[in-house]
Amino acid sequence: MKLLNSPIEVTSTMRTPSEKFSNTPPTLPPLDPERIALFEEAGLTVKQLEPLGVEIYGADVRQRLPEPVIEALEVEMANRGFIVFKHQADLSADELVNASKWWGAGEIHSTHGVHPATPGMNRDIFRCSNDDRYGILGVGPQWHNDGSFEAATFSHSAYYMARAPEQGGGTHFAHQGAAFDVLPEEKQAFWERLVSVNSASGVSHPVVHKHPISGRKSVWLHLGMTGAVIERLPEEGVAIDELQQTPASTEQLRLLNEDEMKQLLSDYNDLLNASFEKGYGIRYHYDTGDLLYIDNWALAHRAAPEAHMSAEEQGLRIMDRVTIKARQNLAPHFELPQYINLSGPHPFNRDGIWKAGGVGFRWKDDIPMQN
């Protein structure tokens, strides 16, 4: 096998985000007819949103749904990104937490602080608002997945709109399996050879992973807390799936440099920004009482800009988030360790970005990075 040692060439373009990616239509499967019949038997009405997402009417999440329905909804979340239980007004903290245990490993995985306005000071609820008397301000302005600093990053997240603002303040969602589809082939091949390292925790994740439910290749990168990205150099005649499962020596690995990191993170941001035009993103607007669940391994999200506008401008916004434990770790490729110490020296032959703490590598100076 011949080892190719030349790094990827970095180019700068003036193209719009959507023009940087292929015209391959992204694939988001429609609701499965057999699962629709199952939902209807349970008294539910489902509405397929376009291009992704599903709204569910007729449920009361205070009562556990039948297990086959829960399993089918989890598959639809993986395929279409998120589901919304409509008309769930006045859920208590315990009712919200109990309904969230339907998914993933069936346990809550909480890593956040508790705001004084949190109902019952419940440890498992992360309360967000656009008024600091009612919740934490400024959460999630950039594309991200919840819990990217964890090895077993959350499988699902709940967003309960306890009070929707009168002037709007929703969430943007982009399907990361469909996003992979529109990457040019050369970028697909490059990204599949990358592993990112979280600057806050040192946890490592593949930049492209195979979703455990849908089986789709899906992109995954944190715009606000990435401290290093490691490339496994390509080998002639070796398929990417085989390469990902094969241990790599230090000589077969390298760090991305500053220009490459800027391009990768910028391309990832542009890829998700292009989702609205390309047909794998949606700007979702909430009603009070909406209980929205995402598959956090399939869907990136960010708060709409309006969500961070003041209550005087938009109306009061109160959202409660609950995060659910995954059944498995999102493990890196090439048998790299799940945790890598960014505070120590790197083991690679060539220098590159290796930055611990805070927001990690600052790929863009004029946007807030708190996620």
Side-chain angles (χ1 to χ4, degrees):
M1 293 184 294
K2 181 181 179 182
L3 191 65
L4 303 179
N5 289 308
S6 57
I8 187 170
E9 181 182 356
V10 177
T11 59
S12 175
T13 72
M14 297 298 290
R15 292 177 292 173
T16 64
S18 62
E19 290 173 337
K20 294 171 66 174
F21 308 113
S22 76
N23 291 320
T24 302
T27 54
L28 282 165
L31 280 164
D32 180 84
E34 291 185 6
R35 286 193 281 272
I36 292 175
L38 180 64
F39 302 148
E40 290 175 346
E41 287 174 13
L44 306 178
T45 300
V46 293
K47 176 184 176 182
Q48 178 174 301
L49 304 178
E50 296 301 337
L52 66 154
V54 181
E55 289 183 338
I56 301 167
Y57 297 83
D60 180 354
V61 299
R62 296 171 178 87
Q63 305 296 321
R64 187 178 178 92
L65 292 171
E67 290 304 318
V69 173
I70 290 174
E71 292 171 6
L73 286 172
E74 193 164 71
V75 174
E76 291 298 350
M77 263 192 278
N79 288 340
R80 298 195 56 79
F82 68 94
I83 60 174
V84 190
F85 291 103
K86 302 293 288 186
H87 310 311
Q88 306 297 313
D90 302 321
L91 288 181
S92 71
D94 287 343
E95 289 165 344
L96 173 57
V97 169
N98 288 337
S100 300
K101 292 178 181 178
W102 296 354
W103 322 111
E107 300 177 37
I108 305 305
H109 186 172
S110 300
T111 60
H112 53 260
V114 180
H115 189 275
T118 301
M121 294 300 290
N122 190 300
R123 176 69 187 85
D124 293 325
I125 290 178
F126 181 59
R127 173 152 281 203
C128 309
S129 182
N130 58 352
D131 184 324
D132 61 7
R133 295 172 297 175
Y134 297 96
I136 295 172
L137 302 178
V139 176
Q142 305 306 324
W143 291 110
H144 66 286
N145 298 82
D146 290 334
S148 295
F149 46 84
E150 293 283 345
T153 187
F154 316 136
S155 65
H156 299 80
S157 293
Y159 307 119
Y160 178 58
M161 188 56 74
R163 190 187 190 285
E166 288 80 1
Q167 303 302 318
T171 305
H172 299 172
F173 298 107
H175 197 284
Q176 292 167 287
F180 179 82
D181 292 347
V182 304
L183 278 176
E185 288 185 5
E186 66 274 12
K187 284 195 187 296
Q188 287 182 343
F190 177 50
W191 287 24
E192 287 186 89
R193 300 196 309 273
L194 302 179
V195 168
S196 68
V197 186
N198 188 278
S199 60
S201 66
V203 71
S204 59
H205 293 308
V207 172
V208 177
H209 71 97
K210 186 173 287 188
H211 191 282
I213 294 176
S214 70
R216 295 189 69 158
K217 289 183 177 181
S218 302
V219 296
W220 176 279
L221 192 60
H222 199 295
L223 290 172
M225 288 193 294
T226 295
V229 175
I230 302 166
E231 181 194 6
R232 169 74 183 263
L233 295 169
E235 296 180 20
E236 224 172 59
V238 180
I240 187 62
D241 290 344
E242 182 183 346
L243 204 65
Q244 290 172 345
Q245 297 168 21
T246 304
S249 66
T250 302
E251 290 73 25
Q252 294 171 307
L253 300 170
R254 73 176 191 95
L255 293 173
L256 298 196
N257 62 34
E258 181 175 356
D259 288 341
E260 292 167 324
M261 285 281 281
K262 284 182 176 179
Q263 179 149 347
L264 173 66
L265 291 159
S266 177
D267 282 350
Y268 185 78
N269 187 54
D270 287 346
L271 177 66
L272 300 186
N273 283 342
S275 65
F276 308 117
E277 181 181 341
K278 292 281 190 181
Y280 52 94
I282 191 171
R283 299 174 176 92
Y284 191 78
H285 299 283
Y286 299 92
D287 297 318
T288 296
D290 279 352
L291 174 55
L292 187 149
Y293 286 101
I294 68 167
D295 184 316
N296 189 49
W297 287 37
L299 201 70
H301 66 282
R302 69 181 179 195
E306 299 80 17
H308 293 147
M309 295 174 70
S310 71
E312 290 74 22
E313 294 173 283
Q314 293 299 105
L316 180 62
R317 180 182 193 266
I318 302 175
M319 173 184 279
D320 292 331
R321 189 193 74 174
V322 179
T323 47
I324 296 103
K325 184 177 181 179
R327 296 184 179 94
Q328 64 199 72
N329 287 357
L330 183 55
H333 301 317
F334 325 126
E335 295 193 11
L336 284 169
Q338 187 77 71
Y339 290 91
I340 296 174
N341 181 16
L342 285 174
S343 298
H346 71 74
F348 305 104
N349 293 329
R350 287 194 294 262
D351 284 335
I353 297 299
W354 187 258
K355 187 174 179 59
V359 297
F361 176 71
R362 287 294 301 228
W363 60 279
K364 195 169 175 61
D365 291 328
D366 60 350
I367 59 174
M369 292 293 185
Q370 66 270 28
N371 277 328

